[in-house]
Amino acid sequence: NITALTSGIIEKLNFKVGDRVKKGEVLATFDARYLTLNWVEDGLELIAEREQLISLQNAAAAGKASTEEVKRQQEKVSLLTDIYYNSKYARSKNDITANLDGRIITWHISAGDSVRAGQAVGIVANYDPDAIARIELTEPDYYSLTVNDSASLIPAAKPDLRLDGKVISRDINDNSAGLPYTAEIRFENPGALAALGSKVSISIKGNKESVVILAPQDALTERDGKSASVFLVAGKGRFAARRHVLLGPEIGYRIVIEKGLRKGEQLIIQGVDHLDHGTPVMLIQ
């Protein structure tokens, strides 16, 4: 819990939900003018009640006031003295600081709210071990990302929170259930905000770099004007994967593939008429 040490009116929250913070950083500030006004008003009230106490003590000495009246006034002055020094202390502690390194999980307050000393105003969570999210992808999405691409996740239960992550693996599965393309994202999960089995929204900043190659026309299938399909070796060398590409000009028996291929991918250039998406293949080197 983030706790307010003094009472006052919140002027500003310096961090939003999901932000990382370090121990001792100022998370929120009080309205200093309000704190000063309270201190001055408490001081003026204390002065007036002290003068009243002196008057009662003089009256009691003259037999015109009772000792009970003096005692009640002394207790009132003692209480106002504590309030005065608390107000003075509040002026020197006009902020709320982080009590540990972590991430803001929630705020219970907003700018303009009044808080009291000892009130829990928010929560900071320690960094917990990373978690992993698994996603299914379409073919274009699968080939538009690569390992180590940055990603961000938003738990469905906490739409105002964004968690940082990166792609740690991508693969083509040989099962018929769902989409065959998958990827895994490792992400920070402080306070177990994204519970095991919960849904998250994922945004990946993929590597869109393409390469232009000159390929034999026998490598093309389903050709239609400027577009066609080709087969690549995928699934760690286990399967053939169909890819849609954008064609350029023909140069003799070969043709330029302008978009759709990435550096390092292996294009199958013979026997494509016998292939389908997911057909097992064997690399012989």
Side-chain angles (χ1 to χ4, degrees):
N1 283 325
I2 308 166
T3 305
L5 299 179
T6 60
S7 300
I9 295 177
I10 298 298
E11 181 178 47
K12 181 183 179 183
L13 298 180
N14 299 324
F15 294 90
K16 63 182 183 296
V17 171
D19 285 348
R20 295 189 185 92
V21 297
K22 294 182 179 179
K23 183 177 181 180
E25 281 191 307
V26 176
L27 307 181
T29 53
F30 287 104
D31 186 337
R33 296 168 299 176
Y34 173 83
L35 295 177
T36 300
L37 180 61
N38 271 1
W39 176 57
V40 172
E41 290 179 345
D42 292 340
L44 293 175
E45 185 177 4
L46 177 60
I47 291 172
E49 294 301 330
R50 278 178 174 171
E51 291 176 349
Q52 179 65 17
L53 174 61
I54 293 172
S55 297
L56 283 173
Q57 288 172 334
N58 292 335
K64 296 181 180 181
S66 66
T67 55
E68 285 297 323
E69 289 178 297
V70 173
K71 184 178 179 180
R72 285 196 297 271
Q73 187 63 20
Q74 286 175 332
E75 291 174 349
K76 186 175 183 179
V77 168
S78 178
L79 176 61
L80 290 176
T81 300
D82 289 341
I83 292 174
Y84 169 79
Y85 281 106
N86 282 337
S87 295
K88 184 178 180 180
Y89 173 79
R91 291 182 66 247
S92 64
K93 296 292 182 181
N94 63 340
D95 51 42
I96 297 173
T97 58
N99 54 350
L100 49 79
D101 293 347
R103 189 188 292 269
I104 299 291
I105 301 305
T106 188
W107 280 117
H108 303 316
I109 56 172
S110 302
D113 288 351
S114 296
V115 300
R116 64 184 184 279
Q119 177 180 340
V121 297
I123 297 175
V124 174
N126 283 323
Y127 293 119
D128 286 350
D130 293 346
I132 293 177
R134 183 175 292 107
I135 57 174
E136 293 184 335
L137 303 166
T138 63
E139 180 184 3
D141 287 339
Y142 175 83
Y143 287 107
S144 70
L145 62 85
T146 187
V147 172
N148 291 325
D149 281 348
S150 60
S152 59
L153 297 89
I154 300 176
K158 295 181 179 291
D160 57 345
L161 184 65
R162 184 176 296 273
L163 305 171
D164 297 327
K166 68 177 182 179
V167 177
I168 60 170
S169 70
R170 53 195 287 273
D171 202 358
I172 299 177
N173 303 310
D174 56 351
N175 57 51
S176 59
L179 296 171
Y181 304 98
T182 61
E184 288 187 339
I185 293 89
R186 186 186 301 278
F187 64 97
E188 296 174 347
N189 193 24
L193 289 171
L196 182 66
S198 65
K199 293 183 177 180
V200 294
S201 298
I202 298 176
S203 175
I204 300 174
K205 185 179 180 182
N207 179 4
K208 303 296 184 179
E209 178 186 1
S210 296
V211 294
V212 175
I213 71 166
L214 193 61
Q217 295 195 36
D218 284 347
L220 305 180
T221 66
E222 299 181 1
R223 182 172 179 180
D224 182 16
K226 287 290 185 179
S227 64
S229 293
V230 297
F231 283 97
L232 303 171
V233 178
K236 299 178 181 178
R238 296 176 297 165
F239 306 107
R242 187 187 300 275
R243 175 81 62 80
H244 297 291
V245 294
L246 182 65
L247 304 177
E250 296 182 14
I251 303 177
Y253 181 66
R254 295 182 294 178
I255 190 167
V256 173
I257 299 179
E258 291 187 340
K259 291 184 179 180
L261 299 180
R262 294 171 57 187
K263 185 177 181 180
E265 292 181 320
Q266 294 174 299
L267 179 67
I268 300 175
I269 61 174
Q270 291 182 343
V272 295
D273 292 340
H274 304 289
L275 297 178
D276 199 354
H277 185 75
T279 300
V281 297
M282 180 181 295
L283 291 179
I284 299 175
Q285 297 184 4

